Amino acid sequence: MTVETGAKPRQAVLQNSRRTIPVRRAFLSYRRARPAILCYLACKVLGVTWIAMRSKESDQSLVTSLGYVWDARWYLGIAQHGYGHADLVPGYGGGPAGRWQDLAFFPLYPGVVRAVGEMLPMTIVGTALLITCVSSCVAAWGIRAFGTALHGNRVGLLLVLLWGLLPQAFIQSMAYPEAMFTALCAWSLYALVTQRLITASFLAVAAGLTRPLGVAVVAAVVVTAVLTSPRGRRTLTAILIAPLGLLGYFAWAGVATGRPLGYFDVQRDWKTHIDFGQSVIAATDRVAAGHVSAVEQGSALIVIAGLVLLWALLSSRPPAAVVVFTLVLVAVAVGVSGYIQIKPRFLLPGFTLLLPAAAALARARPVTLVATLASLAFISFTYGAFFVTSGYTP
């Protein structure tokens, strides 16, 4: 599955990139990625427009649909009041965790929202949506760079488009941290495949402060460090740095709650635990029996498609960093308890699952390519608009 269309050999790309200063290298990277980012933005605008029309039919504002629903309220509450004020969040249900229920939500995204909100004359939800928009564009840039480094320009562009046209892509426009987290994942993996181990480890720290799924990035960095230089100083440095964000937040949560395992106690109160895929299997059985809604059926199909894509990815023998990242991400997404409709959200950062499809489309005839992308766009926009306005929790 090697496609080098429109790209220099990988070794030449690495050598040339190291001869330029960082600022110029970033500028050149952005200029090369600009078509992909613009194509992604076009998909994003169309998707949001579709949601806006559906929201209007439901007498619901677009801002409410994207910024004041489900977990977004918790992130906005943390941005406004900090941790330990769960009782100020609308819909707070009390429980054993008491005021610390908001510790289930990691701090980087609400922290950035708060910091930027203090500098801009915008509402807190407007700031959150702006940061999500910028983060999703940075993610598209990183995904393009990653795909191009592995398989060339055409695959890089198509990888961005496929990620932007996922059925659950509407989450990329909500006041959620998924876009920011995906950007950190993309650039960390790009750093790994271009042999910038220390850069990848610092990005892993940020990913670990954004989502618990940051463990996938940490694992990718650690395994790559061990495989590339098992006795080198860089190996030890990367291994020590990469998990600091994740472990640091767990430690802080323990201090804040006065319980060493405070974060995991909070997760237990949210009824979140490792169930080794039992909730997915049960939901799939209900789908087969026809006892669930259309949204739940669609969510189950997305999870099944993700597992099929995982098999295709592993069959293509990608780099070790890609294998480890994707396996851990899918294992956490599928193996942790939760409603089936939230599983696609956990798979959203798994753009690596789309590599085989992007490579196949890169070889397809133009008419096949256009028809495929148009079909995916229709499915994505329709599913997203229905999901957001139907009251389900992603």
Side-chain angles (χ1 to χ4, degrees), residues 14-299:
L14 296 181
Q15 291 174 356
N16 289 338
S17 68
R18 286 170 181 164
R19 290 174 187 154
T20 57
I21 61 175
V23 174
R24 178 170 172 76
R25 189 164 63 232
F27 174 75
L28 292 174
S29 173
Y30 167 74
R31 191 167 66 179
R32 288 190 293 266
R34 189 162 51 192
I37 296 173
L38 291 175
C39 289
Y40 169 76
L41 278 174
C43 296
K44 192 178 182 73
V45 169
L46 289 173
V48 171
T49 301
W50 210 303
I51 292 174
M53 292 189 298
R54 188 63 188 261
S55 297
K56 188 175 181 180
E57 294 174 3
S58 305
D59 294 325
Q60 185 172 303
S61 73
L62 179 62
V63 172
T64 299
S65 296
L66 298 178
Y68 282 117
V69 291
W70 309 309
D71 290 356
R73 295 178 301 182
W74 289 90
Y75 286 111
L76 295 179
I78 295 168
Q80 290 177 297
H81 310 293
Y83 285 99
H85 298 282
D87 54 314
L88 299 178
V89 176
Y92 167 72
R99 65 191 183 97
W100 294 111
Q101 271 192 305
D102 49 14
L103 283 174
F105 305 93
F106 278 50
L108 187 60
Y109 177 72
V112 173
V113 170
R114 180 168 187 159
V116 174
E118 291 178 350
M119 296 184 289
L120 297 179
M122 300 176 65
T123 63
I124 193 71
V125 68
T127 303
L129 294 176
L130 174 64
I131 291 172
T132 294
C133 181
V134 174
S135 297
S136 64
C137 291
V138 175
W141 181 4
I143 291 170
R144 185 266 174 197
F146 167 79
T148 299
L150 288 182
H151 302 300
N153 291 323
R154 190 174 178 84
V155 171
L157 171 61
L158 289 170
L159 192 61
V160 171
L161 286 175
L162 290 176
W163 182 70
L165 294 176
L166 286 171
Q168 67 270 40
F170 64 92
I171 298 170
Q172 300 164 12
S173 300
M174 299 179 69
Y176 274 24
E178 265 62 32
M180 178 180 288
F181 179 68
T182 303
L184 293 168
C185 293
W187 285 108
S188 182
L189 286 178
Y190 172 73
L192 289 176
V193 300
T194 55
Q195 302 171 19
R196 295 178 174 90
L197 186 59
I198 301 303
T199 299
S201 64
F202 279 106
L203 290 168
V205 173
L209 289 170
T210 309
R211 293 283 290 145
L213 287 169
V215 67
V217 186
V218 173
V221 171
V222 171
V223 170
T224 301
V226 172
L227 292 179
T228 54
S229 52
R231 293 183 180 87
R233 184 183 301 173
R234 292 170 68 250
T235 299
L236 180 60
T237 302
I239 290 175
L240 291 176
I241 291 174
L244 288 180
L246 203 60
L247 296 179
Y249 181 65
F250 291 159
W252 180 85
V255 172
T257 59
R259 293 176 290 180
L261 300 179
Y263 170 78
F264 300 97
D265 292 339
V266 170
Q267 288 289 11
R268 186 166 54 250
D269 291 331
W270 279 91
K271 295 181 172 56
T272 300
H273 59 276
I274 297 174
D275 70 353
F276 301 99
Q278 292 182 12
S279 58
V280 172
I281 295 172
T284 304
D285 289 341
R286 291 195 299 273
V287 168
H291 296 156
V292 295
S293 68
V295 166
E296 292 168 302
Q297 290 176 3
S299 300

Side-chain angles (χ1 to χ4, degrees), residues 1 10 146 149-151 189 192-194 220 223-224 227 313-314 316-326 352 355:
M1 191 193 72
R10 181 180 170 188
F146 167 79
L150 288 182
H151 302 300
L189 286 178
L192 289 176
V193 300
T194 55
V223 170
T224 301
L227 292 179
L313 176 69
L314 297 178
S316 68
R317 298 182 179 179
V322 177
V323 172
V324 173
F325 168 78
T326 312
T352 49
L355 272 172

